[in-house]
Amino acid sequence: MEKNGIVISDSALRKGAEKGMDAFLQVFIDAYLKVMEGEGFDAEKMHRLNGWQHALLSYHFFRQEVLEGGFVQLIQNGFGPYIYDNPFAKAMRLMGLKEFAKMIYATKEIYDEHRADLEKDCTEEEFMAMYEQYEAFDDFEDEFISEEEEITEQIARYVDGHIGDFAEISQDDGE
């Protein structure tokens, strides 16, 4: 029986784990994106993943966007609602990442207060100006960048310890 359609082969998981925590998590992310048919999300597709799977996928997008361009980029690229309107912070807290969860709640306050402005369509120049306008995100970005490796490692350990919540692992011939 498939768990929300997410089945990962044992050999793919072992290969990912051998390459490190990022590759281990990426095996799950790739499976989720395939089931979600790429990176586009709509209400029809949301049920294809369970809450834990959405939490891991949320972390993937959060990490990717914040490391590349900060919270302004995360929000401008349309991930604000996926991160802040879902129980992502609660899931991180349940994984034992209390300080990271507090950061998400704190940045949600900024997001909620300025949501319309942060999500509006804008020119490249207006987008760049948002970095100065929303300097309140700066300390949180610095904090995440300095702690990202530890956060990712703790998430990988949690996933490994609760693997059934994230996918069904199929036995294979050890390809």
Side-chain angles (χ1 to χ4, degrees):
M1 181 84 181
E2 294 183 4
K3 185 174 210 81
N4 288 350
I6 307 298
V7 178
I8 297 173
S9 74
D10 184 56
S11 63
L13 204 54
R14 280 188 278 120
K15 286 176 188 173
E18 288 171 8
K19 294 178 183 174
M21 65 184 169
D22 293 338
F24 172 74
L25 292 177
Q26 195 63 47
V27 172
F28 293 90
I29 300 304
D30 291 344
Y32 301 165
L33 290 174
K34 183 177 180 184
V35 167
M36 296 295 283
E37 298 173 2
E39 295 188 18
F41 293 92
D42 58 36
E44 177 198 324
K45 295 178 187 176
M46 294 302 279
H47 76 280
R48 295 179 185 175
L49 300 179
N50 70 32
W52 287 112
Q53 293 163 340
H54 275 294
L56 183 55
L57 191 57
S58 293
Y59 180 69
H60 164 73
F61 290 125
F62 179 92
R63 177 181 177 215
Q64 177 180 298
E65 296 294 324
V66 173
L67 289 177
E68 185 178 301
F71 287 93
V72 169
Q73 179 175 304
L74 172 83
I75 297 163
Q76 273 287 301
N77 282 347
F79 294 108
Y82 191 55
I83 300 297
Y84 295 119
D85 293 345
N86 288 300
F88 174 59
K90 180 180 179 182
M92 294 299 106
R93 182 177 50 79
L94 292 172
M95 287 184 184
L97 293 156
K98 292 181 175 118
E99 292 305 311
F100 181 50
K102 287 179 186 176
M103 175 196 308
I104 297 163
Y105 286 126
T107 58
K108 180 182 180 353
E109 288 180 21
I110 301 166
Y111 171 73
D112 286 344
E113 185 176 339
H114 303 283
R115 183 175 186 156
D117 188 49
L118 283 162
E119 290 182 343
K120 73 179 181 193
D121 286 337
C122 58
T123 65
E124 180 71 23
E125 188 175 291
E126 291 168 329
F127 170 71
M128 296 308 290
M130 283 184 172
Y131 285 100
E132 288 184 31
Q133 186 177 356
Y134 294 104
E135 289 179 342
F137 286 126
D138 290 355
D139 288 341
F140 297 112
E141 289 165 2
D142 292 344
E143 180 182 342
F144 178 70
I145 290 167
S146 71
E147 297 175 7
E148 176 271 326
E149 195 171 306
E150 293 170 23
I151 292 168
T152 301
E153 183 179 325
Q154 188 161 345
I155 291 171
R157 280 195 313 266
Y158 186 89
V159 170
D160 190 40
H162 301 85
I163 217 152
D165 292 332
F166 296 90
E168 179 181 333
I169 308 306
S170 68
Q171 297 305 312
D172 51 24
D173 299 335
E175 305 163 1

